[in-house]
Amino acid sequence: MSEAALVLEQVRTPMFGSPHHLEVDLRIAAGEFVALVGPSRSGKSLIIELAAGLVSPEAGRVVLLGHEWSGGSESEYNPVRIRVGTVLEQPGLLNNMTLFNNVLLPLRYHRGALSDRSREHAVMAQLERLGLTPMRDRFPAELSHGEVRRGAIARACMLDPEVLLLDDPVAGVDAEMQLVLKAYVEERRADHSLTVVVALRAWSPFIEGADRLVALHDGRVKADGPRDAVAEVVPEALRRYVE
Amino acid sequence: MIEWVGRKTIAGATYLAALATLFSQAVLDLVLPTQQGRRETLRVLVRQILFTGVDALPVTTVIALLLGIIIVTQAGTQLPRLGAGGLVGSIIVVTVIRELGPLITAFIVVGRSGTAIATELGTMSVTGEVVALRLMGISISRFVIMPRMVGMVLSMLCLTLYFDVVAVLGGYLIADAQLTIPFYAFVESVTKALSTTDVLMTAVKGLCFGSAVAAVCCHHGLAVRSSFTEVPQQTTRAMINSFILCLLIDVVVTVPLYL
């Protein structure tokens, strides 16, 4: 078995707004593309937050890229976070910056040695790939939800992360751009070993591209495996998320 | 009653400890600079100085001039009746340079920039910007808090000194125009009353007030958790607590020195 990029070992933690606890035991190999599917309040976003080190589990341990998230300071976490691109349900583009400057920020902050020209070139390439070039000088408040989300994904990919954690990457994104997003992630995976974990609330093209589906309900994993295998064993209530 | 006092005391001590932690972390980030994010942090710092310091110059000028005029008018009309007409300079030094200058400057800065910082950080918290920065490996203390704190402290110091100068000038204008106190007499009166300690203390107060206001406003801005309705609540708390803390610091600095 290849080296694990993300391990959630015997994790148990309360789910906000639900009487249930999230109880999972997951191991995601480096380079794997995993889609977490299920209805709202099933624990998908919580898994993304646990993986990103934003939430500490009540029990169990979470290890990302060999680093265990447990009681460390932010300065200890930062070297790991630079290797991970995360976009949560709230994309969090900075409202006082244009889209261009938002996507440029990680490079400006972490790759200060790069020339302005090469940074601009890198940002424009990402924006063009995601169909955002005409929006480069707009502020987040002037963009649609889908454009904000695509901008946040572009920003998350600027440092060439080893792991990409995406919470509902297709929310507010039109059907054509969903395909563009999927192709964008697949291209990045082809470029270098990239582990992708996406949480999805409805069927989307990402499900077709995933190596593995994890169907969740009320904080429990109901099915885990390749799409066809999951479609066979998944409970009726979750069938519409995988087919 | 005792329980209530105990609870409030613990809450107050916890609050001050949180402010001290925020402040000391910002100082550490300032004195232990890394190459990472230096230009970006500098950009935020310059913006903060422009907003808190430079943009506040017009309003500070108007308030300082008016205050100087009011104080010298009162002093110039009342003191001669007591046979103390020569103390106009002392009154300016005691009221403006020692006390009202730093305090009113602090109040201007709290009203303009402190509330803006609390609102901005509160909104950033609700819209997920703070979390997004953390997820990018960008230190909130280094990128968000430290430049705002340094910008506010430097701006407060400069504005305080500027306020004092303009208020004295305002006092001279009215002294010259209405009270017919000649320029040299006014200047002599002020310089005689002014000591190095007064100038140092006004600077110390500017630094202390700036640090306190920045820490309080950043703390309350980042205390916003999940709802936009928390933003005005935390901003109001930031403003009130900044005023109280500035007055407390003023008492702590002034009483031992001048009593």
Side-chain angles (χ1 to χ4, degrees):
Chain A
M1 196 176 194
S2 63
E3 194 190 334
L6 172 64
V7 179
L8 285 93
E9 194 179 284
Q10 307 284 319
V11 165
R12 180 184 155 85
T13 199
M15 296 194 334
F16 183 69
S18 165
H20 304 283
H21 274 68
L22 176 74
E23 287 181 32
V24 290
D25 199 20
L26 270 179
R27 184 186 168 87
I28 295 171
E32 210 173 5
F33 185 163
V34 177
L36 309 171
V37 295
S40 294
R41 307 275 167 216
S42 58
K44 307 178 300 295
S45 299
L46 189 51
I47 290 178
I48 297 285
E49 286 172 0
L50 283 161
L54 290 174
V55 177
S56 296
E58 202 176 76
R61 59 190 209 116
V62 181
V63 181
L64 182 68
L65 294 171
H67 176 90
E68 184 174 346
W69 300 123
S70 62
S73 66
E74 287 292 313
S75 56
E76 288 169 42
Y77 287 175
N78 285 344
V80 183
R81 286 190 167 140
I82 294 168
R83 298 163 62 196
V84 181
T86 309
V87 180
L88 299 181
E89 204 173 349
Q90 268 192 320
L93 286 188
L94 301 189
N95 279 304
N96 63 354
M97 286 185 187
T98 60
L99 178 63
F100 177 83
N101 283 329
N102 261 290
V103 179
L104 182 63
L105 181 63
L107 282 184
R108 264 191 184 155
Y109 197 87
H110 295 296
R111 305 272 194 273
L114 282 176
S115 70
D116 286 346
R117 198 168 171 182
S118 53
R119 281 191 295 217
E120 180 171 349
H121 181 73
V123 171
M124 288 314 295
Q126 302 294 324
L127 292 181
E128 193 177 339
R129 187 65 194 86
L130 288 169
L132 292 167
T133 312
M135 315 296 164
R136 60 163 281 169
D137 294 325
R138 296 214 179 160
F139 286 88
E142 299 170 320
L143 300 172
S144 71
H145 290 305
E147 286 160 353
V148 167
R149 193 160 294 276
R150 273 144 56 203
I153 291 171
R155 184 177 68 179
C157 292
M158 281 316 292
L159 298 177
D160 292 327
E162 294 164 51
V163 176
L164 196 53
L165 304 170
L166 305 174
D167 191 354
D168 212 356
V170 291
V173 178
D174 62 55
E176 193 184 331
M177 278 302 153
Q178 288 192 19
L179 291 171
V180 170
L181 260 184
K182 183 195 161 207
Y184 175 75
V185 170
E186 281 173 352
E187 273 170 29
R188 300 198 72 87
R189 288 185 73 213
D191 277 354
H192 65 284
S193 174
L194 173 67
T195 309
V196 183
V197 184
V198 286
L200 298 165
R201 280 160 189 78
W203 193 92
S204 92
F206 275 92
I207 287 177
E208 285 176 349
D211 300 325
R212 183 175 151 200
L213 296 190
V214 177
L216 289 145
H217 196 260
D218 291 340
R220 306 284 196 286
V221 174
K222 297 295 181 186
D224 182 353
R227 186 179 162 208
D228 294 341
V230 167
E232 280 177 23
V233 297
V234 80
E236 191 60 34
L238 293 176
R239 199 167 293 274
R240 70 182 72 102
Y241 294 96
V242 296
E243 289 183 342
Chain B
M1 178 68 182
I2 292 170
E3 191 189 330
W4 183 84
V5 171
R7 228 180 11 239
K8 289 288 172 194
T9 309
I10 291 169
T14 312
Y15 179 70
L16 290 177
L19 295 183
T21 309
L22 201 71
F23 179 73
S24 50
Q25 183 59 51
V27 171
L28 276 179
D29 286 330
L30 179 68
V31 297
L32 301 172
T34 62
Q35 287 299 314
Q36 210 176 42
R38 216 170 56 169
R39 270 177 65 187
E40 273 310 292
T41 307
L42 191 65
R43 203 184 299 258
V44 180
L45 170 64
V46 169
R47 254 199 325 246
Q48 190 63 48
I49 290 174
L50 283 175
F51 175 64
T52 306
V54 179
D55 291 355
L57 284 175
V59 68
T60 307
T61 308
V62 172
I63 293 176
L65 269 176
L66 295 177
L67 188 79
I69 289 170
I70 291 166
I71 287 173
V72 172
T73 304
Q74 291 290 355
T77 52
Q78 299 302 313
L79 290 177
R81 291 185 196 174
L82 304 167
L87 291 179
V88 173
S90 292
I91 291 292
I92 275 275
V93 169
V94 169
T95 54
V96 175
I97 296 177
R98 282 188 191 171
E99 290 305 327
L100 292 179
L103 266 181
I104 292 180
T105 308
F107 290 175
I108 294 169
V109 171
V110 170
R112 275 191 83 257
S113 310
T115 51
I117 286 177
T119 308
E120 186 190 14
L121 297 191
T123 308
M124 282 176 75
S125 299
V126 181
T127 54
E129 292 172 45
V130 172
V131 172
L133 286 172
R134 283 172 62 199
L135 289 173
M136 283 188 275
I138 294 177
S139 161
I140 300 299
S141 174
R142 185 181 295 278
F143 181 67
V144 176
I145 298 171
M146 186 270 278
R148 282 171 175 77
M149 215 171 256
V150 173
M152 186 168 268
V153 171
L154 289 177
S155 302
M156 183 85 86
L157 174 64
C158 296
L159 281 177
T160 302
L161 297 173
Y162 176 77
F163 186 101
D164 290 347
V165 171
V166 175
V168 172
L169 186 72
Y172 163 70
L173 289 178
I174 197 72
D176 185 49
Q178 296 293 320
L179 306 172
T180 61
I181 300 174
F183 177 69
Y184 70 88
F186 182 82
V187 171
E188 192 190 359
S189 171
V190 170
T191 48
K192 208 187 266 179
L194 189 66
S195 66
T196 315
T197 313
D198 293 324
V199 179
L200 276 177
M201 286 325 291
T202 205
V204 167
K205 282 181 184 178
L207 288 174
C208 292
F209 293 168
S211 310
V213 171
V216 168
C217 294
C218 288
H219 171 80
H220 283 281
L222 293 173
V224 172
R225 286 284 165 261
S226 50
S227 160
F228 281 110
T229 53
E230 289 175 51
V231 177
Q233 291 168 356
Q234 290 294 347
T235 303
T236 310
R237 268 180 223 156
M239 196 167 81
I240 300 292
N241 289 358
S242 295
F243 288 159
I244 293 172
L245 205 55
C246 285
L247 287 167
L248 270 175
I249 291 170
D250 199 20
V251 168
V252 169
V253 172
T254 305
V255 170
L257 198 73
Y258 294 108
L259 202 64

